[in-house]
Amino acid sequence: MKFAKSHEWIRVEGDAAPGAVATIGVSAYAVEALTDLVFMQLPAVGAPVTAGEPFGEIESVKAVSDLYAPCSGEVVEVHTELPDNLDLLGSDPYGKGWIIKIKLADPSQLDALMDQAAYDASVSDGSH
Amino acid sequence: MSIPEKASVLTVWEDAPACGATNMAADEVLAEEAAACGGMMVRLYTWSRPTLSMGGFQKLAEAESLAREAEIDLVRRPSGGGAILHGTDQTYAAAVARQHPLASTPQLLYDAVHTALVDVLCAMGLEAAMVSADFGRDGGSGESAPDGPLLCFDRRAMGDVVVGPHKVLGSAQRRLSGSVLQHGSLLLRQCDQAGPASTRPGLAELGPDTSVVLLPADTLVRRWLEALAASLGMTCEFAGPFLVDGRGERVAERAERFRSAAWLGRR
């Protein structure tokens, strides 16, 4: 699993080759920081996503935040039940709280992301 | 046009009344400049016509109905929260760069701005307070969902500023890649524009109940921002209008998006 500075995670299913499917979600740290989540807007299957660009939005009691794609690709599956079950983002952020699955366009983009240890260090030292 | 280089300065811009689309566009430019300078900025403004600003994800239909009946303008903010009836309020936009300590979580910036106002209102003799954390655990935070009560001042969330049972300041954020933009509205006096069902008491109506002599609004707002700056170890610099020629083109470009049917009807 890799992490973006903007707190999204991405996990590749199988080998990280072009066309491989990767699952995307948001980190437990981000969910906790946003506090009470109230609304989520997600892309449609087939939509293109671009690394570093927004692919959806999430609203908490205090804030609307963009969700940024860690890698580029095409959306192949959307967790359509998630907007009605936002608690999953907090209770199981790396499992049942997944958001979208994409077909990777350029797996080399994964190299620019942080591993778990680097991400944990970034949020603990406030450099996020 | 100048952008402060020192993060120790809280730059406060004060603009003449403008339409909803221009105000929202100016706030986006403010957020970009805060990101560029690495610090914190505040823009104070009012509205050229009574306007209902709706939260980023509120459904259009109910807000549009209220605006039409009241014959007021309607705009959708990029920030969250409930709809605000502008006309007798002091609206602010605070923008901080993402690397600023106040940007790390939504509650930090919210509390900083709101605590400063509570301190000033209490010094005036008003029994002002912030809604406590217990409120959310009682189920109150659910009222702040996009499908909760239409109007911001009918919602309660932790940190909202209340005088007695009446909410007088509410804020909501848009967290961008380079900065955090926080919108807020201080209800100075009640707004009758949309009829009794949408009328809420402001500071002017709450003061006499507690035998408090209120400061003039501009003095109150200045003290509020000076208190905010002091609480953050910053100095407050009032820099004049933000909407000047050097920003006109950028603001005009963004204003078109806020005027568009696509933006207004996004939900």
Side-chain angles (χ1 to χ4, degrees):
Chain A
M1 188 184 301
K2 292 290 193 79
F3 292 83
K5 284 183 180 176
S6 49
H7 305 294
E8 292 80 11
W9 57 262
I10 184 166
R11 184 174 54 227
V12 182
E13 298 169 11
D15 295 332
V21 173
T23 305
I24 294 172
V26 290
S27 73
Y29 173 85
V31 172
E32 185 177 350
L34 286 170
T35 64
D36 302 315
L37 302 174
V38 294
F39 184 78
M40 182 175 232
Q41 189 165 69
L42 299 176
V45 171
V49 297
T50 302
E53 296 295 320
F55 71 81
E57 294 170 273
I58 189 164
E59 180 170 9
S60 67
V61 170
K62 300 284 191 310
V64 172
S65 303
D66 287 320
L67 299 166
Y68 295 93
C71 295
S72 301
E74 178 187 327
V75 178
V76 294
E77 191 174 348
V78 176
H79 192 173
T80 53
E81 296 176 359
L82 191 58
D84 294 324
N85 298 278
L86 291 171
D87 287 348
L88 290 175
L89 286 165
S91 63
D92 193 6
Y94 306 112
K96 294 176 182 173
W98 67 277
I99 299 174
I100 59 171
K101 296 183 181 183
I102 66 168
K103 187 162 63 179
L104 286 175
D106 180 4
S108 70
Q109 291 174 334
L110 292 164
D111 298 338
L113 302 173
M114 293 177 279
D115 61 18
Q116 180 86 57
Y119 176 72
D120 289 346
S122 77
V123 297
S124 63
D125 73 7
S127 63
H128 48 284
Chain B
M1 180 172 65
S2 64
I3 296 174
E5 294 178 354
K6 292 185 295 183
S8 59
V9 175
L10 172 62
T11 306
V12 180
W13 312 91
E14 298 173 273
D15 275 320
C19 70
T22 297
N23 276 330
M24 295 302 100
D27 292 341
E28 279 201 346
V29 173
L30 182 84
E32 290 174 5
E33 295 195 7
C37 81
M40 179 173 183
M41 299 175 172
V42 171
R43 190 174 83 90
L44 300 170
Y45 56 95
T46 54
W47 307 70
S48 52
R49 276 178 41 83
T51 300
L52 186 69
S53 77
M54 56 192 297
F57 281 124
Q58 287 192 283
K59 290 179 178 172
L60 175 63
E62 190 179 4
E64 193 173 44
S65 175
L66 176 61
R68 188 186 304 115
E69 288 175 16
E71 298 180 339
I72 61 178
D73 289 351
L74 179 64
V75 70
R76 186 186 291 276
R77 303 189 306 270
S79 53
I84 294 176
L85 190 56
H86 300 282
T88 58
D89 69 318
Q90 173 64 65
T91 312
Y92 79 86
V96 294
R98 283 308 287 257
Q99 65 267 35
H100 193 285
L102 284 180
S104 59
T105 70
Q107 197 71 42
L108 285 176
L109 178 59
Y110 202 82
D111 286 352
V113 174
H114 287 210
T115 300
L117 179 69
V118 168
D119 290 346
V120 171
L121 294 180
C122 287
M124 292 164 54
L126 282 169
E127 294 184 3
M130 284 161 63
V131 172
S132 72
D134 293 340
F135 187 83
R137 285 196 284 273
D138 293 338
S141 62
E143 294 184 2
S144 291
D147 299 333
L150 173 67
L151 296 174
C152 167
F153 286 97
D154 290 344
R155 300 171 171 214
R156 297 291 182 275
M158 185 174 70
D160 284 345
V161 178
V162 294
V163 175
H166 304 290
K167 181 173 171 178
V168 295
L169 174 66
S171 300
Q173 298 174 3
R174 176 80 193 196
R175 300 179 71 80
L176 304 159
S177 58
S179 60
V180 174
L181 173 65
Q182 178 167 302
H183 279 136
S185 170
L186 173 62
L187 192 54
L188 296 171
R189 59 185 190 279
Q190 73 181 28
C191 182
D192 301 321
Q193 187 73 33
S198 301
T199 299
R200 306 290 176 268
L203 290 176
E205 289 73 36
L206 296 171
D209 292 341
T210 52
S211 304
V212 171
V213 177
L214 288 171
L215 294 168
D218 56 347
T219 305
L220 166 65
V221 171
R222 279 186 170 246
R223 287 193 185 177
W224 171 24
L225 294 169
E226 287 165 352
L228 171 63
S231 73
L232 300 173
M234 304 168 83
T235 57
C236 194
E237 180 180 290
F238 291 89
F242 183 78
L243 288 169
V244 293
D245 289 346
R247 299 185 177 96
E249 196 170 327
R250 283 191 294 160
V251 171
E253 283 177 8
R254 286 161 178 76
E256 287 307 307
R257 178 166 64 90
F258 288 107
R259 286 191 188 95
S260 70
W263 173 258
L264 201 59
R266 71 194 297 245
R267 186 165 186 245

